[in-house]
Amino acid sequence: MLFPTLTFGLFFLFVYGLTWSLKASNEWRKIVLLVASWYFYGAWDTRFVALLMASGILNWGAARLIVAAEDRPKLRKVWLAIGIAINLTILGFFKYYGFFMEQVEHLLHSLGWERDLYIMQVVLPVGISFFTFQGMSYVIDIYRRKTEPASLLDMVLLMSFFPHLVAGPIVRASHLIPQFKKVPELTRGMAAMGLALIVWGLFKKAIIASELATGLVDQTFFDPSAQSSPDLIAGAYGYAVQIYCDFSAYTDMAVGLAALLGYRFPHNFNQPYRAVSLQDFWRRWHISLSSWLRDYLYISLGGSRHGLVRLCLALMGTMLLGGLWHGASWNFVIWGALHGSVLAVERLWREFRPKGWKPIPNWLGILITFHIVLLGWIFFRAQSFDSALAFIAGIFTAGGTAALVTPMLLAMILVGMTFHYAPPYTMQRVAMKIRTVNALWVGLGIGLFILVVDAMRPEGVAPFIYYQF
């Protein structure tokens, strides 16, 4: 069930009306939200609803055992290790089993053992990376005494809540569980912000991301050797805009939907392509993941507490694992290695920059950072390592003229980049204006906007890019 569809719209309207009618009973309200979330997830594949339930129950149980062993530090560590292992086992089996077995098979063939291994075809559950990371962060936070134990209902709802279930943001227990414990309130400001984010996300996904995907990006990445240099260059820039508009659209809509239900989610993007360094980029891009990697992986690997060499190794290790989090592919490893290497180089440069050398101007930092990110996106999007190399080689050697780029697609790329240079807090200002308008006019305006978007967008609705992670 995709957000920008009539089916989801009817589903949400039903859930919205039912949950607010149960405002007097917060427990029943949460039960309705939980059942609705399982229905939402089951619309994709009912078999994995049981996995979602089991994951929530197992994480709740591991946290309870850690709390029960409060006076036994060694036992607390054992339960922590078991809780993390459960999450990694679930994630590893569904996401990496096939990749691991293929690498084993290739290794055995290279050693002269030609017998084929039996490799099961494992279906990847949508959103498994997001809900396992949420479960793991809850167990770790309980161990670190950074959050209070949740009830079973609250914990399972945390991991199943449909607005953020399949593509984030990764909302931590310490942020959302306290909200579940209270009867929610829907202020006019929250409603205005929620509606503004939903329609803005719909525009970015249904028009810009979808148009760039179908008209340019998919074709250039499908067979780079058949494309001209101008088309490949446009395809690379187009994908940078597509992935931003697609992913930020999902999280904008998730934040907006949660707001209409009375809950606050953290924002996940802050104009990432205006970053002046790669470190700044990761403070702006997929903020819930980058902060998760920092708090639960980078710091655990030593962070900045054990000298410069250890810091650089921690950066590299964090980004390599962050790349693998996105999928079982060597391309994601290369993407993570590129980001980790540049982050380490930036840190070394700040440490050893010659005295008297001024920092580079912001405009140059933005230009360099964006093109490093752009190079990474080629590996991120390409179907294989060879395809990524062919794409990069074609940019410099293919020649020819642009056959795919149209004025409309070029305008989409320019508009998508312009978003990063709009005044800060633009959506908040829009929401402030919406809240002063009569509700009838707001409804008519939003309805008209949706009709315009529906008329302009390509046929069909492609899944969000991050559904596959």
Side-chain angles (χ1 to χ4, degrees):
M1 196 184 300
L2 301 174
F3 285 173
T5 61
L6 177 61
T7 302
F8 178 79
L10 295 174
F11 162 81
F12 182 77
L13 286 175
F14 175 77
V15 173
Y16 176 86
L18 183 57
T19 53
W20 283 113
S21 71
L22 296 170
K23 186 178 178 181
S25 175
N26 195 35
E27 293 303 301
W28 275 108
R29 187 178 198 274
K30 290 187 288 187
I31 290 170
V32 167
L33 286 174
L34 181 59
V35 173
S37 298
W38 287 340
Y39 176 82
F40 170 83
Y41 197 66
W44 171 73
D45 193 324
T46 55
R47 295 173 297 175
F48 293 114
V49 175
L51 174 67
L52 185 61
M53 295 178 184
S55 183
I57 294 169
L58 289 169
N59 280 289
W60 173 81
R64 297 294 295 182
L65 290 169
I66 291 172
V67 172
E70 179 64 32
D71 299 327
R72 304 174 66 183
K74 290 184 178 179
L75 186 57
R76 292 180 83 248
K77 288 184 178 180
V78 169
W79 292 128
L80 171 66
I82 291 174
I84 293 174
I86 289 170
N87 285 286
L88 293 180
T89 299
I90 293 172
L91 186 62
F93 174 74
F94 284 100
K95 197 160 188 174
Y96 305 107
Y97 167 80
F99 176 74
F100 174 76
M101 293 302 295
E102 287 175 5
Q103 304 312 306
V104 170
E105 186 174 44
H106 292 159
L107 176 62
L108 293 176
H109 284 185
S110 68
L111 295 175
W113 190 31
E114 298 298 331
R115 182 178 177 182
D116 291 333
L117 297 175
Y118 172 73
I119 301 178
M120 293 187 296
Q121 295 298 315
V122 178
V123 178
L124 180 65
V126 169
I128 188 170
S129 296
F130 290 94
F131 68 72
T132 53
F133 265 35
Q134 278 186 310
M136 200 155 33
S137 66
Y138 171 68
V139 172
I140 296 171
D141 282 350
I142 287 291
Y143 175 80
R144 292 176 175 176
R145 302 181 180 89
K146 288 188 174 182
T147 192
E148 295 295 321
S151 68
L152 178 58
L153 174 59
D154 286 353
M155 181 60 201
V156 177
L157 180 56
L158 168 73
M159 294 183 62
S160 305
F161 195 30
F162 70 87
H164 70 86
L165 174 57
V166 295
I170 303 171
V171 187
R172 301 189 195 183
S174 57
H175 182 88
L176 196 51
I177 294 295
Q179 296 185 61
F180 285 158
K181 291 180 178 179
K182 300 177 183 177
V183 176
E185 296 286 342
L186 180 61
T187 65
R188 192 175 179 86
M190 287 179 68
M193 191 66 189
L195 291 170
L197 286 171
I198 290 169
V199 296
W200 180 234
L202 180 64
F203 172 75
K204 287 192 290 184
K205 168 61 180 174
I207 294 183
I208 296 183
S210 295
E211 192 69 45
L212 286 172
T214 57
L216 178 63
V217 175
D218 291 348
Q219 296 181 64
T220 54
F221 278 92
F222 178 74
D223 185 7
S225 62
Q227 309 300 332
S228 67
S229 292
D231 281 335
L232 291 173
I233 292 170
Y237 282 97
Y239 183 65
V241 173
Q242 181 204 347
I243 192 172
Y244 165 73
C245 287
D246 188 284
F247 191 19
S248 66
Y250 179 93
T251 55
D252 282 349
M253 296 176 80
V255 172
L257 292 167
L260 292 181
L261 293 172
Y263 303 105
R264 299 179 185 273
F265 282 1
H267 289 280
N268 215 22
F269 290 89
N270 180 22
Q271 300 177 308
Y273 292 154
R274 70 184 299 170
V276 297
S277 67
L278 203 61
Q279 183 185 49
D280 187 29
F281 173 80
W282 279 105
R283 289 171 178 159
R284 296 169 175 268
W285 175 272
H286 201 347
I287 299 168
S288 63
L289 175 63
S290 59
S291 62
W292 197 101
L293 292 172
R294 178 197 65 209
D295 294 344
Y296 300 107
L297 190 55
Y298 172 72
I299 291 174
S300 298
L301 291 173
S304 59
R305 296 169 297 169
H306 302 287
L308 193 58
V309 173
R310 182 74 173 270
L311 181 150
C312 291
L313 291 174
L315 285 171
M316 180 61 75
T318 299
M319 294 313 301
L320 283 172
L321 291 171
L324 275 174
W325 175 85
H326 285 86
S329 165
W330 287 112
N331 276 22
F332 291 127
V333 175
I334 293 167
W335 176 81
L338 171 66
H339 280 257
S341 299
V342 175
L343 286 169
V345 168
E346 287 181 352
R347 185 65 180 83
L348 291 170
W349 176 250
R350 287 197 298 272
E351 188 72 22
F352 297 111
R353 187 179 67 197
K355 292 183 178 179
W357 284 38
K358 295 181 179 179
I360 63 173
N362 282 351
W363 68 266
L364 183 57
I366 292 171
L367 194 65
I368 293 171
T369 300
F370 174 74
H371 285 90
I372 291 170
V373 172
L374 189 70
L375 175 61
W377 286 143
I378 293 174
F379 286 96
F380 194 92
R381 174 61 177 82
Q383 298 177 22
S384 66
F385 177 70
D386 290 340
S387 179
L389 292 182
F391 194 104
I392 295 169
I395 288 175
F396 297 101
T397 62
T401 58
L404 298 176
V405 183
T406 65
M408 175 62 74
L409 291 172
L410 185 60
M412 293 289 179
I413 294 172
L414 293 175
V415 169
M417 291 301 299
T418 302
F419 294 158
H420 294 79
Y421 299 93
Y425 307 111
T426 298
M427 292 308 299
Q428 287 86 336
R429 292 190 179 99
V430 171
M432 290 292 289
K433 290 186 178 298
I434 290 175
R435 65 184 295 185
T436 64
V437 178
N438 182 277
L440 176 62
W441 289 110
V442 171
L444 289 173
I446 290 174
L448 179 61
F449 182 86
I450 292 173
L451 289 175
V452 171
V453 169
D454 188 62
M456 292 178 62
R457 71 181 184 180
E459 276 192 49
V461 181
F464 288 92
I465 291 173
Y466 264 68
Y467 271 29
Q468 62 186 298
F469 304 133

